[in-house]
């Protein structure tokens, strides 16, 4: 059905305007943020919604945030009927089940009024560097058995009224976190982003008119839905399954089964995680919004990653999981460390669809590491939290080797060494790619990465969030897996192997060596171009010994 009162050029301008606003909101949030997590790592997202809570457009940020955001806005509307909103309001929530799966993610939803009428909402989410709980950074996995141990939990509440923070609520929040100035600063940045978003959306309505915008939005939704359904119809009907495992949540424990069944029925997709393990008594469970978000991302990657992401494009996709399972836990299941498993959600869907869509499939990622170190900085006498995002190699593709140093599945960034060393009592002794770690194949998996962090204050608490210590990233179609990951304490002394999700105390002079896995390869090893092997040796990605052992190619020093 045609809705548009706008010609094709005007409709394109309308869509571009919405996307531009979400990007500008993100820039505002980044530039005015206080913490390294937001300012440097880009651990935030933005979106625009209509007055019914339907997603219109989103910024090019993190799938786990963006996929949860439509359900966040609808929850806010359930708590606050439309007639109760006023200009300048801001509703805050961070509940794991309502939000994106763990308490550090603070969502701020603000209404947009035009000519006295509520016409929509803007929303942003920022990962707060600490929200209290059992360990600095609020992402301790082992020893946390229920959500109440993970920090302050906020159900939808109007934290901003007429553009100003409710100081009583702010005092309550800041009294429960280790670094209140960072949380207050990042919340102010979130307010800034939404204020800018409201002004820019109002300008869109002023330019195109209320009726023109409304008709254009419906047209965008309908076209996006039709495009997505057409892409799904190109995939043969059937049920496609895959299984992998996450490292155990405790030392010496059993691995966590990650199993998916992807059902294609004409122009619809059902992604079912019900065969996965039960929820676990550790802070790593994936609540439904988080599971749904990354599954939606995977489906989009295997159809058309460049098509508009909005309410229309997500309609043909359903993501489900057995209640009480690892991917649909029952509250108060803890979930603070759920970031450590998001890559695996994508990877099992990738594994299921790879036989059908070989040109779009990839080998397994090297995973990533999210170490958090907290304590007192003796230089200042104040609390500090070293929050890091460490990224290594992608899996190889049907036409190229895996790349290194990019964030898999999330649009975050490696935080510069200089920033870490300036704001935290640590020193980065090594940051380098790991030779021979990428899976061999016709195309080689991306190399793993080593990062050695030295402690330069009396005592700190470490919370590790990693994976692939037990099961390596898989290769596809005859290729080899990447090398396993490892976390080692004091590698140049009495080296101690750490669990991928361990929490422990470190002392001055201790060195934490994070060694991320290598990405999986793609295609038969025997089909690799000898010139590519020689180039890898020259670049240091592959040693001469491995070139001979893996590829049968002798290279003199």
């Amino acid at each position: 059905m045609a809705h548009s009162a706008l010609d094709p050029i005007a409709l394109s301008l309308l869509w571009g305007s919405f996307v531009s606003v979400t990007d500008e909101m993100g820039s505002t949030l980044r530039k005015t943020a206080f913490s390294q997590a937001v300012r440097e790592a880009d651990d935030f997202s933005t979106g625009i919604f209509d007055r019914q809570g339907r997603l219109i457009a989103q910024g090019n940020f993190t799938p786990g945030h963006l996929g949860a955001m439509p359900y966040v806005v609808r929850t806010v509307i359930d708590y606050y009927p439309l007639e109760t909103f006023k200009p300048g309001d801001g509703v805050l929530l961070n509940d794991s089940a309502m939000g994106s799966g763990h308490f550090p993610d603070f969502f701020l939803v603000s209404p947009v009024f035009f000519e006295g009428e509520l016409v929509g909402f803007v929303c942003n989410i920022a990962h707060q560097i600490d929200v209290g709980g059992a360990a600095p950074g609020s992402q301790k996995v082992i020893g946390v058995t229920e959500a109440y141990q993970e920090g302050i939990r906020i159900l939808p509440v109007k934290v901003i009224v007429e553009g100003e923070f409710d100081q009583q609520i702010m005092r309550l929040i800041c009294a429960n976190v280790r670094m209140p100035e960072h949380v207050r600063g990042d919340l102010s940045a979130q307010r800034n982003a939404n204020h800018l978003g409201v002004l820019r959306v109002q300008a869109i309505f002023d330019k195109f008119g209320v009726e023109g915008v409304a008709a254009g939005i419906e047209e965008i939704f309908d076209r996006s839905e039709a495009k997505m359904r057409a892409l799904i119809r190109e995939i043969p009907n059937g049920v496609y399954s895959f299984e992998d495992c996450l490292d155990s949540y405790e030392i010496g424990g059993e691995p966590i089964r990650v199993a998916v069944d992807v059902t294609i029925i004409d122009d619809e997709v059902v992604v079912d995680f019900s065969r996965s393990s039960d929820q676990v008594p550790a802070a790593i469970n994936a609540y439904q919004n988080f599971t749904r978000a990354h599954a939606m991302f995977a489906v989009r990657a295997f159809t058309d990653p460049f098509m508009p992401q909005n309410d229309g494009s997500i309609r043909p996709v359903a993501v489900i999981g057995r209640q009480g399972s690892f991917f649909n836990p029952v509250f108060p299941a803890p979930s603070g460390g759920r970031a450590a498993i998001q890559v695996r959600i994508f990877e099992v869907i990738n594994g299921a669809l790879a036989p059908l869509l070989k040109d779009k499939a990839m080998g397994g990622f090297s995973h990533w590491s999210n170490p958090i170190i907290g304590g007192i900085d003796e230089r200042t006498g104040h609390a500090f939290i070293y929050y890091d995002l460490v990224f290594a190699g992608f899996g190889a593709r049907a036409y190229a080797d895996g790349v290194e140093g990019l964030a898999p599945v999330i649009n975050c960034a490696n935080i510069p060494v200089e920033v870490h060393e300036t704001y935290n009592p640590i020193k980065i002794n090594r940051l380098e790619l790991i030779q021979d770690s990428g899976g061999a194949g016709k195309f080689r998996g991306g190399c793993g990465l080593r990062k050695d962090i030295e402690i330069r204050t009396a005592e700190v608490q470490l919370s590790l969030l990693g994976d692939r210590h037990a099961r390596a990233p898989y290769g596809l179609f005859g290729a080899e897996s990447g090398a396993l990951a490892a976390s080692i304490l004091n590698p140049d002394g009495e080296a101690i192997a750490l669990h991928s999700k361990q929490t422990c105390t470190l002392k001055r002079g201790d060195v934490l060596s994070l060694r991320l896995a290598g990405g999986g390869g793609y295609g038969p090893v025997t089909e690799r171009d000898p010139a590519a092997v020689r180039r890898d040796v020259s670049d240091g990605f592959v040693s001469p010994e491995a070139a001979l052992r893996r590829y049968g190619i002798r290279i003199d020093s």
Side-chain angles (χ1 to χ4, degrees), residues 448-463:
L449 182 141
R450 175 175 176 175
K451 189 170 192 176
D452 287 9
I453 307 158
E454 180 184 342
I455 306 303
R456 291 198 160 189
T457 194
E459 182 176 294
V460 299
Q461 189 170 10
L462 164 69
S463 295

Side-chain angles (χ1 to χ4, degrees), residues 117-427:
E117 297 294 327
L118 177 65
V119 293
F121 296 90
V122 293
C123 178
N124 72 67
I125 174 271
H127 177 104
Q128 298 292 338
I129 199 167
D130 184 85
V131 293
S138 313
Q139 295 189 94
K140 180 181 180 182
V141 173
I142 302 174
V144 173
T145 59
E146 59 179 1
Y148 301 111
Q149 299 168 290
E150 297 188 286
I152 188 168
R153 177 190 178 208
I154 304 168
L155 302 186
V157 60
K158 283 190 180 180
V159 70
I160 300 175
V161 178
E162 296 182 355
E164 298 296 331
F165 283 110
D166 183 318
Q167 293 305 318
Q168 296 185 73
I169 296 175
M170 290 296 290
R171 281 199 299 273
L172 180 62
I173 293 171
C174 291
N176 283 278
V177 303
R178 293 175 178 83
M179 302 186 73
E181 70 280 6
H182 284 70
V183 173
R184 182 181 290 275
D186 283 353
L187 274 171
S188 295
Q190 291 187 255
R191 177 182 61 178
N192 297 343
N194 275 11
H195 176 70
L196 183 283
V198 168
L199 295 178
R200 295 292 187 263
V201 173
Q202 288 172 339
I204 292 175
F205 275 88
D206 186 56
K207 180 177 181 178
F208 292 95
V210 175
E211 292 184 1
V213 172
I217 289 172
E218 296 298 338
E219 182 74 9
I220 290 169
F221 288 168
D222 287 351
R223 290 190 182 193
S224 299
E225 180 180 2
K227 174 68 172 177
M228 177 59 83
R229 292 189 183 279
L231 290 168
I232 294 170
R233 278 194 292 269
E234 295 177 4
I235 305 173
N237 283 353
V239 180
Y240 308 100
S241 303
F242 194 80
E243 292 189 21
D244 200 348
C245 287
L246 290 159
D247 294 351
S248 63
Y249 62 87
E250 60 184 349
I251 299 172
E254 293 296 319
I256 298 170
R257 185 175 69 258
V258 182
V260 71
D261 300 305
V262 181
T263 302
I264 309 295
I265 307 174
D266 298 330
D267 60 358
E268 295 185 346
V269 179
V270 179
V271 183
D272 188 354
F273 288 90
S274 295
R275 292 191 299 107
S276 300
S277 292
D278 293 339
Q279 66 185 63
V280 298
I284 195 175
N285 297 286
Y287 276 93
Q288 179 74 357
N289 275 356
F290 188 72
T291 303
R292 181 162 40 202
H294 286 285
M296 292 280 189
F297 168 80
V299 172
R300 185 181 179 193
F302 273 92
T303 50
D304 181 0
F306 300 107
M307 71 174 296
Q309 177 81 351
N310 53 48
D311 185 80
S313 61
I314 65 179
R315 290 171 185 168
V317 184
V319 181
I320 61 177
R322 169 176 52 86
Q323 190 173 52
S325 69
F326 184 79
F327 290 101
N328 187 15
V330 178
F331 188 84
S335 61
R338 60 93 176 110
I341 59 95
Q342 59 192 15
V343 175
R344 204 58 42 82
I345 297 174
F346 173 86
E347 285 179 326
V348 291
I349 297 172
N350 175 76
L353 296 179
L356 295 171
L357 304 170
K358 293 184 177 181
D359 291 344
K360 296 183 177 182
M362 306 172 69
F365 292 107
S366 71
H367 206 82
W368 62 294
S369 185
N370 186 195
I372 301 173
I373 300 171
I376 300 298
D377 186 344
E378 291 180 337
R379 301 172 301 179
T380 64
H382 296 149
F384 80 95
I385 294 179
Y386 167 93
Y387 174 91
D388 205 357
L389 302 173
V390 188
F391 305 114
F394 276 42
R397 296 153 287 175
Y399 52 88
D401 294 342
V403 295
E404 285 90 8
L406 295 179
V409 182
I410 56 174
N411 282 0
C412 291
N414 283 296
I415 300 174
V417 167
E418 295 81 2
V419 171
H420 281 315
E421 293 182 340
T422 298
Y423 291 98
N424 304 291
I426 58 92
K427 181 184 177 184

Side-chain angles (χ1 to χ4, degrees), residues 517-540:
Y522 188 107
V525 177
T526 55
E527 295 183 10
R528 184 150 181 84
D529 184 352
V533 178
R534 296 187 181 96
R535 185 171 59 249
D536 281 347
V537 173
S538 177
D539 291 339

Side-chain angles (χ1 to χ4, degrees), residues 58-134:
Q58 63 184 34
N60 187 26
F61 301 114
T62 298
H65 299 159
L66 297 166
M69 204 175 280
Y71 307 96
V72 169
V73 175
R74 291 172 189 172
T75 296
V76 167
I77 294 174
D78 288 340
Y79 271 73
Y80 292 94
L82 297 181
E83 63 272 14
T84 65
F85 283 101
K86 295 181 180 179
D89 283 349
V91 178
L92 180 71
L93 71 84
N94 78 332
D95 176 71
S96 297
M98 295 179 182
S100 62
H102 69 174
F103 292 167
D105 284 351
F106 276 28
F107 288 82
L108 185 65
V109 181
S110 301
V112 180
F113 283 83
F114 180 72
E115 295 181 346
E117 297 294 327
L118 177 65
V119 293
F121 296 90
V122 293
C123 178
N124 72 67
I125 174 271
H127 177 104
Q128 298 292 338
I129 199 167
D130 184 85
V131 293

